[in-house]
Each structure stands twice: as structure tokens, then as C-alpha cells.
């Protein structure tokens, strides 16, 4: 794989990484929401039975309504006794009221929880017998009702106190459960943020490591002096374009050793950089450039036929002549010149080896013929 394709692969990987990150965050959010829903369902299943226990018409609190109604009937019986109607009618009306009150008063919860209930019921029972037998006066009957009324009032107040205590207990329990719900929700939210932060940190580390790997690969595939590809990059680019028709151009600087001896190696390095820029400018974006070492360059370019490749080689020589780089030690008193050899081939491991050999042979023939020229061979076909 070429360096460019590695970079493209990395660029394609990043959106997938970001998508994975968003999916992870969505999963954490859904998990947090699910956790909150579980807590809410738990609260609902807890609160409803509590409300039923404290505020429904079942259980011990039912007695509050019965005691109140029973007291009202006993007070109505007292009112009947105080009316100016005949005694017989007053006694019959009072008995009816007391019987209703007795039925409301005679419940198990009152007998079990309040000591005054049994005596009051006995008193009411005896009072009704005496009223039926007309063996008691109005004032005495009225007085006999005060003790049961007082007992019922005591039951009412006790039930109100119990109801208030039940409400307070329920409120306190609700407050505690609300605290649990609040803190649990906060904990789930914090955990979600922590997971997100850990994922982001891991993603940043992965991106950093990937970037370092990519930068290392860039350095490994680049010539440090000119910044273009090296021999390894040339081989990988050929392998990445297998079965494509490519042109291989080998370029050698004529009498480069003499140039270095005359002007020094720093100036020779500057010339190499200038020539790399010239070759790139001449071939434009249609070629991939490489420095194979020393004064030898190479270029890969799409090659439909040898004539097209020859035109590129000719443009290189003409471009260099136009640049007119001086060469103080050129034996022929010329400026800097190039020897160029090329060939077309179908990219592949074995074909590349043959193409390199053919292009190098064409380059050698140019050098033998006096340098400062180009030649394209078909030997690699």
C-alpha cells in the first residue's frame, strides 16, 4: 500500500471512529435513561401501595369515619330526648338513633385498640333496654349518652393523630426515596460522563498513536533531503498499481561528482533539491517522484504508449536547458545536464524488475552516447 493510500485509509477510519464514539455515547445515554426508568418504576410500585395503606378506605383508618358517624347519631339521640314531643315518641326516636350508632360503633378495630369501647357498648345496650321499658327519665338517658360520646370523640382524636403520624411517616419515607432517586440519577449521569471522558481519552490516544505511525511512515517513505519518495516508496507504489500501464523514468545527473568537488556538498544538496522541484514542475501532478540515492531520481507516470513517455522525457531535458543551472566542472563546458532513460510496463513484481533493468539500460546507453539526452526502450514489454 502506498503512503497516500495509507493516509486515505486512516482518513476513512476516523469517521468510523467518530461514528463508533457517537454510538457508544448513545448507548451510555440509553443505559442511563433505562436506569432512571427502573428507578421511576420502582418508586411508582412503592408509592402506590403506601398511598393505599395510608389513605384508602381499608384498614384501621376506616374507623375514623365510623366513629364520627356513630357520635353524630348519639348526639341526634340526645337532641330527640330534648325535644318537646311526647316521651314515647322521643324514646322511640332516640332508640332508633342509638341502634344505628351502636352498629357503627361495634367494630373489631375499636374493640381491639380502645379500652373504652366495650364499656360504652354495654352502656348503650343497657340504655336501649331501659328506654324500651320506659324505665329511665329523659335527663338520665341524656346523661347516659355522654360517656359513649366521649369515647367516640377519643377514638376520633386518636384516629386523627394516627392519620397525621401516618402522613408524616409517609412524607419522610417519600423524602428519603426521592433522595435515593436524585442521588442515583446523579450517579448514573456522572458515570455516563466518566465513561464518555474515558472513551474520548482513549480515542485521543488512538488518534495520536495513529498520527505518530503515519508520520513515521511518511519519514520512512520520504527522502529527507528533497522530501520526495525513496526507493521503498517506489516499490510500494508500483505494487499498489498492479495491472496498470505505467511508465518508469530513471534520471541521472551528469558529472555530479565533479559538481560536488567543484562547489562543495552543501551546494550539491541544494542542486538536488532544485532538480527535484524542476522535475515535479515539468511532469506536474501526473507523476510520482523518487530519489533513489546519490544523484539518481525516478518517476512513475501513466503510460498509454512509448511515444507519450518519450514526450515527457523530452520535456525534462528541455526544461533543464531552460533553467540553465551552472556546472563549473562540466567537461563539455555546459550547465547541469541529465541523462534520462525510460520504459513502459504493466505494473507487477516481476514486470517492475524487468522495467527497472530496461530503463537503466536505456539510461546507460544515453550516457555512452555522450549524456545530456533521453531514450525510451521497449525491452520491458
Amino acid at each position: 500500500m502506498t503512503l497516500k493510500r495509507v493516509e486515505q485509509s486512516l482518513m476513512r477510519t476516523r469517521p468510523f471512529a467518530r461514528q463508533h464514539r457517537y454510538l457508544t455515547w448513545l448507548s451510555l445515554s440509553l443505559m442511563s435513561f433505562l436506569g432512571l426508568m427502573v428507578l421511576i418504576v420502582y418508586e411508582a410500585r412503592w408509592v402506590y401501595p403506601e398511598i393505599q395503606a395510608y389513605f384508602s378506605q381499608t384498614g384501621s383508618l376506616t374507623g375514623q369515619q365510623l366513629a364520627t358517624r356513630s357520635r353524630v347519631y348519639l348526639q341526634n339521640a340526645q337532641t330527640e330526648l330534648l325535644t318537646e314531643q311526647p316521651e314515647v315518641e322521643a324514646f322511640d326516636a332516640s332508640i332508633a338513633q342509638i341502634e344505628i350508632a351502636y352498629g357503627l360503633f361495634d367494630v373489631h378495630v375499636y374493640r381491639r385498640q380502645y379500652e373504652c369501647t366495650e364499656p360504652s357498648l354495654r352502656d348503650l345496650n343497657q340504655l336501649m333496654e331501659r328506654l324500651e321499658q320506659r324505665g329511665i327519665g329523659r335527663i338520665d338517658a341524656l346523661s347516659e349518652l355522654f360517656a359513649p360520646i366521649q369515647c367516640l370523640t377519643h377514638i376520633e382524636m386518636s384516629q386523627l393523630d394516627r392519620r397525621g403520624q401516618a402522613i408524616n411517616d409517609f412524607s419522610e419515607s417519600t423524602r428519603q426515596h426521592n433522595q435515593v432517586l436524585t442521588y442515583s440519577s446523579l450517579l448514573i449521569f456522572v458515570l455516563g460522563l466518566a465513561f464518555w471522558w474515558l472513551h474520548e481519552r482513549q480515542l485521543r490516544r488512538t488518534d495520536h498513536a495513529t498520527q505518530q505511525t503515519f508520520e513515521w511512515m511518511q519519514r520512512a517513505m520520504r527522502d529527507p533531503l528533497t522530501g520526495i519518495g525513496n526507493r521503498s516508496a517506489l516499490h510500494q507504489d508500483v505494487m499498489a498499481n498492479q495491472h496498470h500501464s505505467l511508465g518508469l523514468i530513471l534520471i541521472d545527473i551528469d558529472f555530479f561528482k565533479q559538481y560536488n568537488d567543484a562547489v562543495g556538498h552543501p551546494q550539491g544538496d541544494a542542486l538536488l533539491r532544485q532538480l527535484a522541484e524542476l522535475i515535479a514542475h515539468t511532469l506536474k501532478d501526473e507523476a510520482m517522484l523518487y530519489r533513489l540515492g546519490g544523484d539518481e531520481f525516478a518517476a512513475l507516470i501513466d503510460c498509454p504508449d512509448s511515444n507519450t513517455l518519450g514526450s515527457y522525457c523530452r520535456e525534462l531535458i528541455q526544461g533543464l536547458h531552460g533553467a540553465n543551472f551552472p556546472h563549473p566542472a562540466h567537461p563539455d563546458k555546459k550547465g547541469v545536464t541529465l541523462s534520462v532513460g525510460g520504459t513502459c510496463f504493466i505494473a507487477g513484481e516481476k514486470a517492475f524488475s524487468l522495467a527497472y533493468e530496461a530503463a537503466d539500460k536505456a539510461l546507460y546507453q544515453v550516457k555512452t552516447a555522450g549524456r545530456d539526452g533521453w531514450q525510451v526502450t521497449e525491452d520491458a514489454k
Side-chain angles (χ1 to χ4, degrees):
M1 179 179 293
T2 65
L3 188 61
K4 183 178 292 187
R5 293 199 175 190
V6 171
E7 182 178 6
Q8 292 174 349
S9 177
L10 291 174
M11 294 302 293
R12 287 194 299 268
T13 303
R14 288 174 183 171
F16 288 119
R18 284 193 290 268
Q19 184 180 10
H20 175 70
R21 175 181 61 187
Y22 295 145
L23 290 176
T24 302
W25 173 236
L26 177 61
S27 299
L28 291 173
S29 300
L30 291 176
M31 289 174 60
S32 300
F33 177 74
L34 179 61
L36 291 176
M37 290 300 297
V38 170
L39 288 175
I40 291 172
V41 170
Y42 167 76
E43 288 292 311
R45 291 180 63 85
W46 169 80
V47 169
Y48 181 75
E50 293 292 322
I51 293 176
Q52 287 292 98
Y54 292 143
F55 302 110
S56 70
Q57 297 301 316
T58 60
S60 61
L61 294 181
T62 307
Q64 181 183 355
Q65 293 183 355
L66 298 178
T68 300
R69 293 168 63 187
S70 179
R71 175 179 58 78
V72 170
Y73 281 114
L74 291 182
Q75 289 175 338
N76 290 339
Q78 287 181 319
T79 301
E80 295 291 343
L81 292 173
L82 291 174
T83 60
E84 295 180 356
Q85 60 182 328
E87 186 176 90
V88 174
E89 294 179 3
F91 280 11
D92 290 340
S94 297
I95 291 172
Q97 296 290 334
I98 293 172
E99 284 180 343
I100 296 174
Y102 187 96
L104 296 173
F105 197 0
D106 186 16
V107 293
H108 178 70
V109 63
Y110 293 164
R111 290 178 180 275
R112 187 181 73 250
Q113 295 182 1
Y114 302 99
E115 295 180 357
C116 66
T117 300
E118 293 287 353
S120 295
L121 290 173
R122 285 196 302 268
D123 291 345
L124 290 175
N125 193 42
Q126 293 174 3
L127 177 60
M128 284 188 292
E129 291 178 357
R130 294 170 67 184
L131 287 172
E132 290 174 353
Q133 296 172 3
R134 309 294 189 265
I136 189 172
R138 290 191 180 198
I139 301 301
D140 292 336
L142 186 69
S143 300
E144 291 284 336
L145 291 173
F146 282 124
I149 290 175
Q150 184 177 7
C151 179
L152 288 169
T153 302
H154 170 69
I155 292 173
E156 286 184 86
M157 297 304 296
S158 176
Q159 290 293 313
L160 286 174
D161 291 341
R162 289 165 61 86
R163 187 181 183 89
Q165 183 61 41
I167 292 174
N168 290 335
D169 292 343
F170 174 73
S171 299
E172 177 63 21
S173 180
T174 301
R175 184 186 65 82
Q176 293 177 357
H177 279 77
N178 285 337
Q179 287 181 343
V180 171
L181 179 63
T182 301
Y183 294 146
S184 298
S185 302
L186 180 61
L187 177 61
I188 291 173
F189 180 72
V190 171
L191 286 175
L193 289 180
F195 289 144
W196 175 78
W197 178 78
L198 289 173
H199 177 75
E200 283 294 311
R201 186 178 68 171
Q202 183 62 38
L203 185 62
R204 285 194 297 270
R205 287 180 175 178
T206 302
D207 287 344
H208 181 67
T210 302
Q211 184 63 28
Q212 285 185 326
T213 301
F214 177 66
E215 291 175 355
W216 176 84
M217 292 179 65
Q218 280 187 316
R219 291 192 296 269
M221 294 292 180
R222 295 292 177 182
D223 173 54
L225 179 62
T226 60
I228 61 178
N230 58 18
R231 189 179 295 272
S232 297
L234 170 61
H235 182 266
Q236 290 204 7
D237 284 345
V238 171
M239 293 301 101
N241 289 277
Q242 291 193 63
H243 310 301
H244 286 77
S245 179
L246 298 177
L248 174 63
I249 301 175
L250 297 182
I251 306 164
D252 191 79
I253 305 173
D254 296 330
F255 305 110
F256 184 65
K257 181 180 183 304
Q258 289 82 347
Y259 184 91
N260 276 335
D261 292 341
V263 299
H265 288 280
Q267 191 63 32
D269 291 343
L271 176 64
L272 290 173
R273 287 190 290 267
Q274 290 174 328
L275 288 176
E277 293 176 1
L278 175 67
I279 296 170
H281 177 73
T282 302
L283 299 180
K284 299 182 174 55
D285 295 331
E286 301 176 15
M288 295 176 283
L289 305 183
Y290 314 90
R291 182 184 174 213
L292 305 183
D295 60 344
E296 187 175 4
F297 293 88
L300 274 181
I301 195 165
D302 288 336
C303 183
D305 52 59
S306 298
N307 291 332
T308 301
L309 186 62
S311 65
Y312 284 124
C313 295
R314 183 170 54 253
E315 289 176 8
L316 277 177
I317 298 300
Q318 293 174 352
L320 181 61
H321 289 165
N324 194 24
F325 294 122
H327 191 316
H330 199 290
D332 299 327
K333 308 301 181 182
K334 297 180 179 181
V336 175
T337 58
L338 298 176
S339 295
V340 179
T343 188
C344 291
F345 70 105
I346 303 300
E349 183 73 42
K350 184 176 180 181
F352 172 61
S353 178
L354 295 175
Y356 191 92
E357 183 178 347
D360 188 63
K361 181 179 179 181
L363 175 64
Y364 179 76
Q365 290 174 352
V366 172
K367 285 183 173 293
T368 302
R371 297 180 171 83
D372 189 18
W374 62 273
Q375 181 174 320
V376 171
T377 181
E378 302 251 349
D379 291 349
K381 292 293 187 177

